[in-house]
Amino acid sequence: MKPFMQFQRLFGASKLVCNSRNIVPVGLCRGQWRRICTCTTHNQEAHHCSTPVLKHLTSKIRSTGPISVAEYMREVLTNPVSGYYVHNDMLGAEGDFITSPEISQIFGELLGIWCVSEWMAAGKPKEFQLVEFGPGRGSLASDVLGVLKQLKSVVGESAVSVHLVEVSPKLSEVQAQSLTGEDSKAADNENDPVYRRGTTKTGHPVYWYRGMEDVPRGFSIYLAHEFFDALPIHKFQKTDKGWREILIDIDPQVANKLCFVLAPSATLASSTLLQADEEREHVEVCPEGGVLVQRLTNRISEDGGAALIADYGHAGDKTDTFRGFRGHKLHDVLVAPGTADLTADVDFRYLRRMTEERVLSFGPITQQQFLRNMGIDVRLQVLLRSCTDSSTRKQLVQGFDMMMNPEKMGERFKFFALVPHSRIAVQTRGKKAEQKGGAAPPVSGFSELGL
């Protein structure tokens, strides 16, 4: 049975609110892309578009030499003075890209049902921490909390709290307005690990942190939607002399123009991050993503809970995916740094390897498959029946198409889940301990996969 159908009686049309959200009529979501040749020639004006980040980086390179792509991404995106994520609201129709929670309420509602389903499968713990990494404008968390409110008879008296990991002060203010209205307050001490706190419109305590290490331990459902793709990557190229790291230097022919170069010899990263059996000629590795998955693995295995990672990515077969987005269009990653989003596809095979099998992993499966397994078709029909406004109905259908169409987000975005081994043991107690063949796993949304 589809997860939404299981909750349909409690989550019925009489309690529905159709939210109108803007659909970006043109441009690209971050999952739609073409290969960008790094040797493309751009006009001189574009290359001389100086930014504070570019001035900082060129000064740094002149002092210490070429930098890794990982260091470049870190400076461009999260530099506390001029980082792209730190000072910009880059989401929505007026931003540089759009995400599924911004497109349709259905997406967040189905993820909310996934959270409740995993909480129920864990035995309905008395404490329920909802943790989201990179919450954007707060749309996903808001929709999940809406589900918890509608399913209050299921969630009962459990102590639900919301914990948001966000590096951008600008976006934390947007999130606070969306989730709490005026009921939030920044910490008096800037070094306080909880730099903002408040109460959501649904009556739940909400806290903001700069890193996962500050989030309290305990049973937690972790959500990471379009978060891992923005973590810094190292890029490597196989040569006749072995693996060499791709670095970023100043073009000797054009002042203040950046370019890619190959390291003349092995670097620490090329010596430690690559697998001995790697067959690709070009590889991108995200060590920060690996560390985060290891931390999630530790917490889930020791404290219980589950993690759902949704991003565009692959199963260890893609090569050059590093790209930029500005104004919903592809943007050269080395031009005007700090004014565009930088991103790279998530290598889910690498993330699975980082768990060291201490937890169970499911996926990656496509967004189309996951949402269909969760009951998106049923949910859409329920919403359409309850909506009388023609423009809202049109937006619901457009949002559905954007999320499910294989040529848009449906095939490009993938879902990947981590659950404790005990999660399956509880479900299979009294049954055969080992499922073979095409047996469906009990984790919602992944029912098409075998264990």
Side-chain angles (χ1 to χ4, degrees), residues 81-94:
V81 175
S82 53
Y84 174 78
Y85 286 152
V86 176
H87 299 288
N88 292 290
D89 179 3
M90 68 294 297
L91 294 164
E94 302 302 319

Side-chain angles (χ1 to χ4, degrees), residues 13 105 202 376 411 416 418 449:
Q105 69 184 83
T202 54
I376 189 172
E411 296 289 340
F416 182 75
L418 304 176
L449 295 182

Side-chain angles (χ1 to χ4, degrees), residues 202-368:
T202 54
H204 301 107
V206 56
Y207 310 92
W208 279 262
Y209 313 86
R210 296 178 183 86
M212 178 185 176
E213 62 276 8
D214 295 321
V215 177
R217 299 293 295 253
F219 179 90
S220 303
I221 301 295
Y222 301 92
L223 298 177
H225 180 262
E226 292 205 42
F227 178 78
F228 278 80
D229 67 276
L231 297 178
I233 61 164
H234 289 267
K235 290 174 71 70
F236 305 99
Q237 181 70 43
K238 186 179 289 185
T239 72
D240 293 339
K241 299 180 180 180
W243 285 101
R244 293 292 182 265
E245 184 168 7
I246 296 174
L247 305 175
I248 294 175
D249 200 353
I250 301 172
D251 192 322
Q253 304 299 321
V254 182
N256 296 321
K257 174 187 172 184
L258 300 176
C259 65
F260 290 108
V261 297
L262 279 179
S265 59
T267 62
L268 178 62
S270 66
S271 301
T272 58
L273 296 179
L274 293 163
Q275 297 296 307
D277 59 352
E278 182 58 65
E279 297 180 352
R280 289 171 290 175
E281 299 291 319
H282 187 108
V283 177
E284 297 169 338
V285 180
C286 179
E288 288 190 24
V291 170
L292 180 55
V293 163
Q294 289 176 332
R295 290 176 177 173
L296 286 170
T297 295
N298 290 338
R299 290 201 176 201
I300 291 171
S301 61
E302 295 173 9
D303 304 330
L308 186 64
I309 300 170
D311 231 311
Y312 44 88
H314 57 92
D317 55 336
K318 287 188 178 181
T319 55
D320 182 12
T321 70
F322 184 40
R323 57 202 184 275
F325 283 92
R326 181 178 178 181
H328 298 276
K329 296 180 180 179
L330 286 165
H331 179 84
D332 190 310
V333 294
L334 298 184
V335 172
T339 66
D341 183 35
L342 301 179
T343 178
D345 281 11
V346 177
D347 185 342
F348 287 107
R349 183 176 67 176
Y350 171 72
L351 297 188
R352 178 180 290 107
R353 186 185 301 123
M354 291 300 100
T355 69
E356 298 178 329
E357 299 185 351
R358 295 182 57 209
V359 294
L360 293 173
S361 60
F362 292 89
I365 64 172
T366 66
Q367 175 165 290
Q368 181 191 62

Side-chain angles (χ1 to χ4, degrees), residues 401-417:
D401 179 67
M402 178 72 82
M403 293 187 295
M404 298 294 285
N405 191 322
E407 297 302 317
K408 296 177 182 177
M409 293 181 170
E411 296 289 340
R412 291 179 172 88
F413 284 79
K414 306 295 192 300
F415 277 74
F416 182 75

